[in-house]
Structures are given as structure tokens and as C-alpha cells.
Amino acid sequence: MSREKFYITTAISYPNGKPHIGHAYELIATDALARFQRLDGKDVFFLTGTDEHGIKMLQTARKEGVSPRELADRNSAEFKRMAEALNASNDDFIRTTEERHKTSSQAIWKAMAANGDIYKGGYAGWYSVRDEAYYGEEETEVRPDNVRYGPQGTPVEWVEEESYFFRLSAYGDKLLALYESQPDFVGPSERRNEVMSFVKSGLKDLSISRTTFDWGIPVPGDEKHVMYVWVDALTNYITACGYPDETAERWSYWPADAHIIGKDITRFHAVYWPAFLMSAGIPLPKRVFSHGFLFNRGEKMSKSVGNVVDPFTMIEHYGLDQVRYFFLREVPFGQDGSYSHEAIVNRTNADLANDLGNLAQRSLSMIAKNCGGVVPTRGALSEADTAILNQAEAALATARKAMGEQALHVALAAIFAVVADANRYFAGQEPWALKKTDPARMETVLWTTAEVIRRVALLCQPFIPGSAEKLLDLLSVDASDRDFVAVSEGKALVPGTALPAPQGVLPRYVEQGTAEG
Ligand code: ME8
């Protein structure tokens, strides 16, 4: 039986500096979404990578006295290392300086040109080097410092050059029809509204080539020009599927099910990208979802502001699954979020160490001591047993719906509501008291608790993969019974199965006196 395909991507990051926590956030969330679909039986292709061309790369390289390629190689390696450090399950890591990407970008260019959508002209406009984007005069403002700024708050300068244009103006109606007929194309709804009003306000043709530098992909047939970095960048999503070879095995993953990006680049993904694809006659992605920005205690982070928190340091300090859990649970996906030392410690100690870790530790050590180190005997189930077991099973449906809408925090809330209730169940049943009064009932309570932990651990795998794996190991769950089919009653723990000696999973964070924000 051929499984349903699911293709999901992150944005590709600019390797003009080291990865920061915003990059880590996007990758963690996309990884959780990819893992969820894999565990739910889909044939997943998950892509991330680096966006290596453009003037921003060139300028940083010059400043550092290295070639843009050296800069790209050095920092792209850091992004790869971050993906490993985050336990990201990406199936490919694309670099836009790869040969396959040059072929693909030139092919989409030719396809758009063949459709009559590319023409040569002259360009003059307000350009932001930091955003790599031109803005209309009305989108800019001169601030009291006498500098003109664009809508993202970055300085813009007047630039004039010969340039190829993409006939974006011809796509306004088609794009509006797309947003109407496919209301889920852009999410969350605030972003959809912004995109629609931008398109409704009228689209200008887009300058898509540069002649003032050569760090980019040459325009086919006119090598004096390199492609505007966003044409090449967006194309990465089809390059990885083998474009222009539509017989490539990977091509079967296209169109993408979800592009996960930050809100600052929504316009590129929800306006330019579908227009390019329509022009080239390529099917459109099903969804573009923009997450919010992370702020360090409410303050915006950026490379230039210099208050970037290094994701590697953060993982080392709090633990990987703690960092993953914190961001996915604390920040409603799609909204901005802030983080601080206190918030990370409070959230992970409460949910992971106290609720989940402790429940596992207490129930499993009781089993080790009182049930001969095997899965306890399961007697007749009481109403309370059945209720908590059913709640754990039902969390799958809730999580599935939420993950289908990129509401990762909703999925986690449902799973951890089970954990909180399982703690209440355990405390209410008092298995330690039953030990003397009704040992058979004690075994049933411990079985029920262990079985709830099994279901919860299965559901936790997309979010905290390492810790979930350890919990499943402690329950002797076979590697082949770890997908979501196994959440059901049919795969419940079998009494008498030998269990390894219990070990603490998800330790408490203990203050080390070097709190960092
Ligand atoms: O935009 N919080 O690259 P990039 C959350 N190369 N997300 C953040 C963030 C923050 N503080 N800062 C950045 C680019 N991001 C382009 C993308 S895609 C074809 C090309 C997110 O390195 C940002 O929104 O500036 C984007 O989705 C990703 O990190 C890479 O940002």
C-alpha cells in the first residue's frame, strides 16, 4: 500500500552569521510537525537548508575579509550542526550554492520567460539591503535621524539599475482567487488578511535580477545579470524534489503540504512564490504558515542588535528536550513569544520534571519493587482506570487535528492535560496504600498508570523525541510498536513483560547560580 506523501519545509536561513534561537525555533517546530506525520503513517519528506546568495552575504563576507563562498561554507556548516544538535529529522539539507539548485533556478526562470512573464527594463527604487527587498515610496518613511526606513524598520537606499522584471501585476486576480478558493493557503488568519490586503492594493512588477554584483545564479542567456536572491531562494523547495526533472522520485512529494516560515517573509511565500509557480506551470503548495517572532524577555533579537542567544548554549544549559518543549508549549504557534530563564525553568520543571518525569519514576519504581520488575497484572478495570486510559487515547485525535492546523501548542496542551490527570488519578488511587489492603488492585492501578505513560510517551515523540524514547525503553515497548497506530488498546502493555531497572528521565533543573536570560 502506498502511503500518503507529506512534504514540509522550513525557510532556508541566511548563513551570513551563526544560527540564532529564531532559526532553532522554526526548525524545532517544523521537526515536530514532520515527526508527527511520520508517526501517523505518512511518507514524509522534510527539508531545511541555507540561502547563500545575495548582497547581504557578499557584504558580510567583505566585512570579514573572506570570499562569500568561504562565509557560506563556514556558517552553513553551523546550521547543519544546529540541525543535529536539535535532533532534527530533516531528510535533506539544501544549499543554494549547489549545482542542482543552479539547474533548477535557471529552469524555472526559463519557464516563466517562456510564459511571457519576464521582460527587461530599468529599475529605480527604495531598496533595503537587510531585507533584500525593494519597497514602494509609500511604504517607507524618513525618521527623525534623517534616514529613510522600510516597513520592516530597516534602512533603505535609492538604487537604479538595468533589471529583468517579473510580471507580478498580471497575477493579482489569480492570487486573490487562490486565497478565496483555498482559504487555508496562508495561515494564521492575521497573515492571510495582511497578504490579501497587500494584493488588493495592487501589485507592481517585480525586479528579479541584479547587475551590481555577481554573487548569485546567472540569468540564463544574459550572464551580466544574476537572479534576485528571492527568486533563487524560493526555488529551493522544488530543487530538492528534483526539479526540473519531473520524473525524479522526489518529484512525487511536490506540491509541498506546508512551508513553515517566520512572519517577516510571508509576502515572499504567499504572493511571489505562488505567482512564480503559476507562471511556470508548476502546482502550488497547499499551505504557507507563518510563525511569530521570539523575543528575549520581550526584546527583539537580531544579529545586528547583538543580544542573540546561542541555541547550542541553550541546549547545553537546559537540555535539548527541555528547550524543544518550552518553545513549543509556551508560545502559541503563529504568535510572537518571549522567553527568559525563569520561564524556561518554571515550565520545564512543572510539566516535564514534576508531572511526567515524576509520575514515570514513581510508578515504575513501585512496579520494580512490588511487581517483580515486570508489567503488572491487569485486573478488571474500574471507571477511573478506563477514563484515564480513554483520555490518553483520545489525545491522539485532538493532537492530530491540532497538528494539521500547525497548532502545536494545542496538541501539547492536550497531551499534558492527560499527564496532569494521570497524576491526579495516581494520587487518588493511592497504590502505596493498596499494597497492604488490596495488592491485586494495586497491580491494576500500576498497570493503568504505566499504560497511560506508554500512550503519552508515544504522543510525546514528535516534541521531545529523546526523552520519549527513553520512557518507551523503560516500558520495554518494541521499536516496531512506536508509531501512532500503537496508541490504541490493541497494543497495550502485556502483563508479565520484563522491564529494565527504572531510571530518571526528565530531571529537574537545579539553579546553578549563573542564570542567563
Ligand atoms: O529570511 N524569531 O533567512 P533568515 C523567530 N533566507 N523566527 C525568526 C527570528 C526570530 N527572532 N529571526 C528569524 C531568510 N526568524 C531567508 C528565507 S526562504 C526561501 C528564504 C526566521 O536567516 C525567519 O522568519 O533571515 C525565517 O523564517 C527564518 O528564521 C530564516 O531567517
Side-chain angles (χ1 to χ4, degrees):
M1 196 184 70
S2 96
R3 289 176 301 151
E4 194 182 326
K5 308 240 172 196
F6 184 86
Y7 178 27
I8 188 164
T9 69
T10 63
I12 48 171
S13 305
Y14 290 125
N16 66 331
K18 287 196 164 79
H20 58 66
I21 202 72
H23 295 122
Y25 176 57
E26 184 169 301
L27 192 59
I28 290 169
T30 311
D31 181 54
L33 290 163
R35 284 177 183 270
F36 192 95
Q37 297 302 334
R38 250 187 234 117
L39 288 161
D40 214 16
K42 293 198 185 141
D43 173 4
V44 172
F45 177 40
F46 167 22
L47 179 71
T48 189
T50 43
D51 179 3
E52 309 189 356
H53 291 129
I55 188 139
K56 195 147 53 175
M57 285 295 291
L58 194 60
Q59 286 181 338
T60 308
R62 278 192 194 131
K63 222 183 301 161
E64 295 187 13
V66 295
S67 70
R69 186 166 299 277
E70 280 172 302
L71 178 72
D73 284 348
R74 192 209 314 140
N75 284 325
S76 183
E78 287 296 301
F79 278 90
K80 253 193 188 152
R81 191 163 76 85
M82 179 181 76
E84 282 157 25
L86 291 173
N87 199 0
S89 62
N90 52 295
D91 300 291
D92 196 354
F93 186 102
I94 192 167
R95 300 185 54 187
T96 56
T97 47
E98 288 168 315
E99 197 55 33
R100 59 171 170 167
H101 185 62
K102 181 175 170 190
T103 310
S104 164
S105 301
Q106 293 188 331
I108 195 174
W109 181 287
K110 285 187 202 151
M112 296 190 292
N115 198 38
D117 285 328
I118 294 181
Y119 64 92
K120 202 188 223 174
Y123 195 83
W126 294 106
Y127 186 72
S128 160
V129 171
R130 275 214 251 155
D131 301 348
E132 304 243 31
Y134 278 103
Y135 295 109
E137 175 117 3
E138 69 290 349
E139 290 181 284
T140 68
E141 57 166 10
V142 179
R143 297 209 186 142
D145 59 3
N146 244 344
V147 177
R148 187 178 286 269
Y149 289 89
Q152 309 269 9
T154 59
V156 292
E157 57 191 290
W158 188 255
V159 172
E160 293 182 24
E161 56 182 322
E162 176 189 287
S163 173
Y164 283 94
F165 283 83
F166 174 74
R167 231 176 268 287
L168 186 63
S169 59
Y171 284 87
D173 291 343
K174 289 178 193 142
L175 288 166
L176 289 172
L178 164 69
Y179 311 138
E180 293 294 351
S181 67
Q182 228 176 288
D184 291 338
F185 183 75
V186 194
S189 54
E190 298 93 297
R191 301 287 94 76
R192 178 172 183 265
N193 295 341
E194 280 167 17
V195 163
M196 287 186 71
S197 62
F198 172 70
V199 174
K200 276 183 191 151
S201 74
L203 295 175
K204 294 201 186 83
D205 289 349
L206 187 69
S207 160
I208 53 165
S209 76
R210 302 287 180 264
T211 53
T212 46
F213 59 92
D214 64 1
W215 179 242
I217 295 180
V219 166
D222 194 352
E223 308 238 323
K224 180 165 99 221
H225 290 253
V226 293
M227 292 181 198
Y228 169 45
V229 66
W230 272 100
V231 174
D232 129 34
L234 290 160
T235 303
N236 91 86
Y237 303 128
I238 53 174
T239 301
C241 292
Y243 186 79
D245 177 6
E246 299 191 2
T247 65
E249 209 183 308
R250 285 250 187 101
W251 189 249
S252 60
Y253 287 103
W254 188 260
D257 292 85
H259 291 312
I260 306 299
I261 56 164
K263 64 178 187 180
D264 59 325
I265 55 174
T266 308
R267 185 184 296 182
F268 298 96
H269 284 78
V271 180
Y272 302 169
W273 182 224
F276 295 164
L277 290 168
M278 283 178 198
S279 171
I282 301 169
L284 307 186
K286 294 177 201 151
R287 184 153 167 92
V288 171
F289 188 87
S290 306
H291 60 74
F293 262 58
L294 289 185
F295 300 91
N296 186 348
R297 274 211 181 85
E299 194 187 331
K300 186 168 170 167
M301 301 176 306
S302 81
K303 281 166 233 182
S304 47
V305 176
N307 62 347
V308 177
V309 174
D310 174 33
F312 297 102
T313 315
M314 211 176 211
I315 295 167
E316 220 169 274
H317 194 77
Y318 299 105
L320 171 59
D321 283 348
Q322 283 73 8
V323 170
R324 289 179 62 114
Y325 180 79
F326 171 76
F327 283 117
L328 301 182
R329 176 71 184 88
E330 184 89 358
V331 185
F333 202 57
Q335 293 175 29
D336 290 343
S338 86
Y339 64 93
S340 66
H341 172 73
E342 293 76 13
I344 298 175
V345 171
N346 289 344
R347 175 60 85 176
T348 58
N349 274 353
D351 295 4
L352 296 182
N354 292 358
D355 277 5
L356 182 54
N358 246 343
L359 182 67
Q361 178 70 13
R362 286 169 70 202
S363 54
L364 291 174
S365 30
M366 273 199 80
I367 290 172
K369 258 190 238 137
N370 304 297
C371 311
V374 300
V375 172
T377 306
R378 162 189 178 166
L381 298 182
S382 72
E383 228 170 82
D385 304 341
T386 311
I388 191 70
L389 287 164
N390 287 348
Q391 192 188 345
E393 192 172 342
L396 171 59
T398 309
R400 183 182 283 137
K401 178 169 185 297
M403 295 300 269
E405 300 163 353
Q406 294 80 34
L408 291 93
H409 55 294
V410 174
L412 271 178
I415 297 164
F416 277 77
V418 178
V419 178
D421 284 339
N423 272 287
R424 278 187 278 276
Y425 164 85
F426 193 74
Q429 297 294 321
E430 302 187 317
W432 51 91
L434 292 169
K435 189 172 147 183
K436 293 201 187 87
T437 58
D438 190 350
R441 176 64 197 150
M442 173 200 74
E443 293 230 5
T444 303
V445 169
L446 291 175
W447 179 86
T448 303
T449 308
E451 172 58 14
V452 170
I453 294 171
R454 185 188 70 89
R455 295 180 191 182
V456 164
L458 288 171
L459 294 172
C460 277
Q461 292 176 99
F463 309 95
I464 49 170
S467 311
E469 188 184 330
K470 280 190 202 148
L471 286 171
L472 293 168
D473 289 346
L474 290 177
L475 293 167
S476 294
V477 174
D478 202 81
S480 61
D481 283 332
R482 295 189 178 193
D483 59 15
F484 289 158
V485 172
V487 174
S488 67
E489 174 70 24
K491 293 285 181 183
L493 292 171
V494 177
T497 310
L499 298 175
Q503 276 171 9
V505 176
L506 297 163
R508 248 188 107 69
Y509 178 92
V510 185
E511 277 318 325
Q512 297 160 10
T514 50
E516 53 170 45

